[in-house]
Amino acid sequence: MENSSPSTSRKRQRAGETDLETESDLNEDQLLSLEENFNFSDTLVALRMMRAHFPRIEKVSVQPFILQSQLYSSVKDRTQVDRELESLRREGVLRTFKLSTGQDDHAIMFLDDYLSQIERVSKRLEAQKQEGLSVFEWFKEHVIHSKLDPSIGHEELRSLLSLRGKVKEEHISLLINAGLLTRQLIDPNMYWFAIPNIGSILKGLSQGRKELMSFLNRRKYKEMPMAALEKKRLRLSPLDMRFHLRDLLGSGHLKTVEGPTGLVVKVVKD
């Protein structure tokens, strides 16, 4: 149990190491929400709950998204998660996106949120007097609704966009520069669908993962009660502790065990 003061804790810190601050601006309901709402029997219910808990991030205009690993932490049957995600994707309820932070990292965003994200980008470019903005409407109407996979080929993209108008390479470049598409490294004729303005958040996701794992690994038994850990604040990530805990629990880097006073988060040994 940690009961040392912040000043004495700082004195004990080694060079290059940081402890985690306690989150002071969360209300009691938020502090208890992760442990009380940890497990779900339904993927859609879990998605809606996590969307509602998505942290507010200053100076970054991104609609809420959920990591697939976070679902695995809360819906124990992974096969069920994959099956229900596929069904929701084909019904046009949500979209999945391949992330650059890891080979198995995927983000999930409700379709309505993604369309709002596209609209924000379009309006920002309109304010900058950017030409060719009609391609955003073409993209929403003919690409997003008909291409449900996380990737698309160059020729298929041109074909779908051309259903509304004459497509130029400048149109596709505009979609790339807006953050809606990224070229695949293995095949430059293939694109990943992407979430605009997410770059700084992905950097924070990677750094927050390392910071949280380092913090727990420095503890004597490499563990901490979930209720106490959730009150900590990461210095290197704009995402909150709850977001990172669900992620690392679902990816198998952390696990929970029942303790005398509730769930305890432990580092999974290699």
Side-chain angles (χ1 to χ4, degrees):
M1 182 178 294
E2 293 188 337
N3 51 18
S4 57
S5 68
S7 61
T8 56
S9 296
R10 281 194 289 270
K11 290 176 184 176
R12 290 202 309 267
Q13 291 169 11
R14 302 174 186 173
E17 287 188 351
T18 58
D19 203 350
L20 300 182
E21 296 177 352
T22 298
E23 187 70 75
S24 59
D25 57 349
L26 294 176
N27 61 43
E28 186 175 353
D29 289 339
Q30 289 174 305
L31 292 177
L32 296 174
S33 61
L34 180 56
E35 187 163 354
E36 290 185 342
N37 297 297
F38 190 57
N39 292 317
F40 301 93
S41 60
D42 180 88
T43 301
L44 184 57
V45 172
L47 284 166
R48 285 174 173 160
M49 181 67 73
M50 293 180 199
R51 182 196 180 281
H53 285 170
F54 188 79
R56 296 185 181 89
I57 302 174
E58 294 183 3
K59 301 179 181 178
V60 180
S61 178
V62 174
Q63 293 284 353
F65 64 88
I66 302 96
L67 299 178
Q68 193 159 336
S69 57
Q70 293 174 319
L71 286 176
Y72 291 149
S73 75
S74 297
V75 183
K76 296 307 179 184
D77 187 340
R78 292 194 174 208
T79 302
Q80 175 190 344
V81 171
D82 293 341
R83 184 175 62 248
E84 291 179 348
L85 275 181
E86 178 66 14
S87 176
L88 291 168
R89 189 171 64 88
R90 296 208 171 277
E91 291 170 7
V93 175
L94 50 79
R95 290 195 69 92
T96 58
F97 302 88
K98 176 76 176 68
L99 300 180
S100 60
T101 47
Q103 184 176 355
D104 298 321
D105 283 352
H106 291 83
I108 301 157
M109 184 177 281
F110 283 98
L111 181 60
D112 287 345
D113 288 334
Y114 188 54
L115 294 176
S116 296
Q117 188 83 9
I118 296 173
E119 189 66 23
R120 288 184 185 183
V121 174
S122 178
K123 287 182 177 179
R124 175 171 56 81
L125 293 175
E126 184 178 2
Q128 298 172 3
K129 308 299 183 183
Q130 176 72 50
E131 296 182 355
L133 296 183
S134 54
V135 72
F136 289 102
E137 289 300 318
W138 306 349
F139 186 73
K140 286 193 295 184
E141 291 180 19
H142 296 290
V143 179
I144 293 302
H145 290 290
S146 59
K147 187 65 176 178
L148 304 177
D149 297 333
S151 63
I152 188 170
H154 184 79
E155 290 306 316
E156 184 178 9
L157 176 64
R158 285 186 63 98
S159 176
L160 289 172
L161 290 173
S162 66
L163 293 173
R164 276 292 302 274
K166 184 175 176 58
V167 181
K168 301 177 182 178
E169 285 302 312
E170 288 81 0
H171 287 126
I172 296 177
S173 295
L174 186 57
L175 293 173
I176 294 173
N177 293 335
L180 291 166
L181 297 170
T182 57
R183 289 186 187 276
Q184 296 188 16
L185 297 177
I186 298 176
D187 185 353
N189 289 316
M190 290 293 296
Y191 303 97
W192 294 114
F193 290 103
I195 301 172
N197 305 326
I198 202 175
S200 63
I201 297 179
L202 294 184
K203 181 180 179 182
L205 174 62
S206 296
Q207 292 179 330
R209 284 169 169 171
K210 294 176 183 177
E211 185 181 359
L212 177 51
M213 292 300 297
S214 175
F215 171 74
L216 288 173
N217 275 311
R218 293 199 309 272
R219 294 178 64 83
K220 184 176 181 180
Y221 297 109
K222 303 184 187 302
E223 64 181 44
M224 190 172 186
M226 179 181 283
L229 183 55
E230 192 186 357
K231 297 176 186 178
K232 298 291 185 180
R233 178 168 52 208
L234 294 162
R235 288 186 171 90
L236 302 179
S237 174
L239 300 160
D240 60 17
M241 182 64 77
R242 175 169 45 201
F243 191 97
H244 282 284
L245 281 173
R246 286 197 184 279
D247 168 43
L248 290 170
L249 288 165
S251 64
H253 290 87
L254 300 176
K255 66 180 180 179
T256 58
V257 296
E258 286 289 347
T261 59
L263 291 177
V264 175
V265 178
K266 297 173 63 77
V267 174
V268 175
K269 296 179 181 179
D270 295 332

